[in-house]
Amino acid sequence: EPEVTQTPSHQVTQMGQEVILRCVPISNHLYFYWYRQILGQKVEFLVSFYNNEISEKSEIFDDQFSVERPDGSNFTLKIRSTKLEDSAMYFCAIRSKDTQYFGPGTRLTVL
Amino acid sequence: GQQVMQIPQYQHVQEGEDFTTYCNSSTTLSNIQWYKQRPGGHPVFLIQLVKSGEVKKQKRLTFQFGEAKKNSSLHITATQTTDVGTYFCAGALDMRFGAGTRLTVKP
């Protein structure tokens, strides 16, 4: 099973601040996904990223969000100006043979 | 857009009882995936169903994909405390997750 790590495991930030969440797959993959899960709620799709381009995004993924793969390995999710309602677990996933493998997640707390 | 509905939202069973969760889509799915998320953990892939009417088994877990490829079910026979968690289905077209069914098992 492909291994996916995420950093940091927990991020606390002030409202209005920018945060960058990182996803590091162990091996090369072309397909990446970001999801968020507000405490006690379902997993919500944010964006999929294929071959260094956004392939699909949800209505949640507005102009405050951006994704990139700055060095061909790490995959980042940036939230430009965090809001209280951005507090959630953010999961990165990679796709391998039509299966998604999730990272352990980053817990974002916006104060 | 595609909607994936999942029922029930919660299910509490006595250890040894069976458990079933159902997933329904408003549109035909190319395939469907099932995930399990333990409390405090991340979703873990269980299985993918692709063919109409497909049935797959993993030990005490039985997965079915409807003939119209719009619904699916996960059935657990003789639940154990290790089955505790939330079970999600995901329509693979754009990976929209259902709301999940949270299973608790009383020993």
Side-chain angles (χ1 to χ4, degrees), chain A:
Chain A
E1 178 176 321
E3 187 173 338
V4 182
T5 60
Q6 290 184 242
T7 60
S9 57
H10 191 188
Q11 175 84 53
V12 181
T13 189
Q14 294 291 326
M15 188 171 58
Q17 295 295 306
E18 174 183 286
V19 294
I20 297 177
L21 312 181
R22 291 184 171 79
C23 175
V24 185
I26 296 301
S27 54
N28 285 331
H29 293 279
L30 294 177
Y31 249 120
F32 294 85
Y33 303 82
W34 280 103
Y35 295 85
R36 79 173 185 190
Q37 186 176 34
I38 295 170
L39 185 63
Q41 298 187 23
K42 70 175 182 179
V43 177
E44 297 176 293
F45 169 78
L46 292 176
V47 65
S48 58
F49 194 79
Y50 174 71
N51 205 23
N52 296 324
E53 290 184 353
I54 291 176
S55 59
E56 191 168 1
K57 58 184 180 180
S58 73
E59 57 275 9
I60 302 170
F61 195 87
D62 60 23
D63 292 343
Q64 293 296 318
F65 292 89
S66 63
V67 290
E68 62 179 10
R69 199 176 182 189
D71 58 7
S73 176
N74 292 345
F75 179 50
T76 64
L77 173 69
K78 181 191 292 185
I79 308 175
R80 289 188 181 83
S81 179
T82 50
K83 304 185 287 288
L84 294 176
E85 54 264 38
D86 292 328
S87 294
M89 283 291 290
Y90 288 81
F91 293 107
C92 165
I94 59 96
R95 177 175 167 177
S96 176
K97 297 179 182 178
D98 291 330
T99 299
Q100 285 197 105
Y101 297 94
F102 283 74
T106 293
R107 180 174 297 282
L108 176 65
T109 302
V110 182
L111 302 176

Side-chain angles (χ1 to χ4, degrees), chain B residues 49-87:
Chain B
L49 304 172
V50 179
K51 299 176 183 177
S52 169
E54 188 170 16
V55 178
K56 287 188 177 180
K57 291 189 175 184
Q58 290 180 350
K59 297 182 180 178
R60 295 178 294 104
L61 277 61
T62 302
F63 304 84
Q64 292 188 338
F65 201 11
E67 293 291 338
K69 301 181 74 173
K70 285 187 174 182
N71 56 71
S72 182
S73 65
L74 158 59
H75 179 82
I76 302 178
T77 303
T79 54
Q80 300 174 359
T81 54
T82 53
D83 295 326
V84 164
T86 301
Y87 293 85

Side-chain angles (χ1 to χ4, degrees), chain A residues 35 37 91 98-100 103, chain B residues 33 35 37 42 45 48 95:
Chain A
Y35 295 85
Q37 186 176 34
F91 293 107
D98 291 330
T99 299
Q100 285 197 105
Chain B
Q33 301 184 4
Y35 294 80
Q37 185 177 27
H42 59 276
F45 174 81
Q48 176 175 268
M95 298 310 299

